[in-house]
Amino acid sequence: MSQYYDSNTPKSNVVEHDVIMRGRKLLDITGVKQVESFDNEEFILETVMGFLSIRGQNLQMKNLDVEKGIVSIKGKVFDLVYVDDQSGDKAKGFFSKIFR
């Protein structure tokens, strides 16, 4: 007897990562491991899919649930950028700006 495994079935130990934006004013992000830094113009989050930089104006953390890995941010969002090891020099420049 052979067994069938559905590869589309979510595994309970796999953390999902979603970014939901509502009207460019509210962001709900899941799969957040850590909030690296934040101010009213930029948030840097470590997610299960890599580092995520959110830039905007009057950004505020609306909700933070560390156990569930959920962050909600409100304010005017200008851009969302993922920074990972594959982008090479771009990532190096990004992190050198952060950690001056």
Side-chain angles (χ1 to χ4, degrees):
M1 182 174 159
S2 64
Q3 293 183 349
Y4 173 75
Y5 294 100
D6 186 4
S7 61
N8 293 329
T9 306
K11 296 176 178 77
S12 60
N13 59 353
V14 176
V15 178
E16 289 190 24
H17 173 59
D18 294 313
V19 177
I20 302 166
M21 184 183 298
R22 294 183 182 90
R24 199 175 166 184
K25 295 179 183 176
L26 181 62
L27 275 175
D28 290 321
I29 304 165
T30 61
V32 176
K33 291 180 173 181
Q34 184 175 349
V35 177
E36 290 291 324
S37 67
F38 66 94
D39 59 27
N40 64 345
E41 293 181 350
E42 183 175 34
F43 276 68
I44 299 173
L45 310 174
E46 182 181 2
T47 72
V48 295
M49 300 293 240
F51 283 90
L52 175 61
S53 170
I54 301 147
R55 292 191 302 170
Q57 185 177 37
N58 299 322
L59 298 178
Q60 300 173 4
M61 190 176 308
K62 183 179 175 192
N63 185 26
L64 172 63
D65 188 333
V66 178
E67 289 183 17
K68 293 181 182 177
I70 299 172
V71 174
S72 296
I73 300 170
K74 69 177 185 176
K76 186 171 184 178
V77 177
F78 294 153
D79 64 15
L80 302 165
V81 178
Y82 284 93
V83 181
D84 54 13
D85 294 335
Q86 296 172 347
S87 58
D89 294 334
K90 191 173 187 179
K92 195 181 243 184
F94 175 77
F95 283 110
S96 67
K97 290 178 186 176
I98 295 171
F99 299 112
R100 282 186 187 178

